[in-house]
Amino acid sequence: MTSELFSDWLRHFDRSMRLKGRTVILLLDNAASHNHKEVRLTNVTVPSLRPNTTAHIQPMDAGIIRNFNALYKKSLVKHFITCAENGQPQMLTLRLAIRFVKSAWDEVSAKCINNCYKHVDIIPTTAQTEDESDDDISLAELRNFMQQLPRSDGDEVPTAEQYVDEDTVVDTGHELTDEEIINRVQPPTDDQSDDEDQPAVVPPTVAEALQHTDR
């Protein structure tokens, strides 16, 4: 997510609220990508949380995102295990990743969301003791699958908790400069390229492309 993408989405959201005759509050954390100073809003008020309070008063950060990550990465590890068992390269296509994302979000239960809202006191809690959380169950399932992954002696394998939480330190709101974009897309120079002896890549035919989209 970048500030430009977020601003575009926010304009669309404000327009949809205006068409529905609704006035809403959209509570945001202080992520750099949530900068919307140049966006003129009519039906959406956008207050920001105080710094360093996100994990305490925002339900998504109180466990919903972590539960989703555990479910997504469980599907990812299962896929890699299947590839290894079938002697196939451990690769992930964009289409398959999107399927895993949808499946993971569908598995995030209403109970998990409800518990996270209770945790941040948005809805009242009860005196009853909660059962084992969906987050604990998802981590246990992920831990079981990670133990099945093929590994070589000396490989350092993260715990299920480390694997789920590794994305929290990744900067996802950084906007690339023109120079960075050019460096990523430009072809390698003669000094960098070892492809002279490689055969030319033949693009697939339309029939072959259509065949793969049905998989």
Side-chain angles (χ1 to χ4, degrees), residues 66-77:
R66 195 166 192 262
N67 184 232
F68 165 81
N69 282 342
L71 292 166
Y72 171 78
K73 293 188 175 182
K74 181 184 70 174
S75 296
L76 196 61
V77 172

Side-chain angles (χ1 to χ4, degrees), residues 202-213:
V202 180
T205 64
V206 173
E208 290 172 335
L210 290 174
Q211 180 183 0
H212 285 286
T213 60

Side-chain angles (χ1 to χ4, degrees), residues 59 82 103 140 145 147 169 180:
T82 301
S103 175
F145 282 115
Q147 291 172 352
V169 297
E180 289 173 327

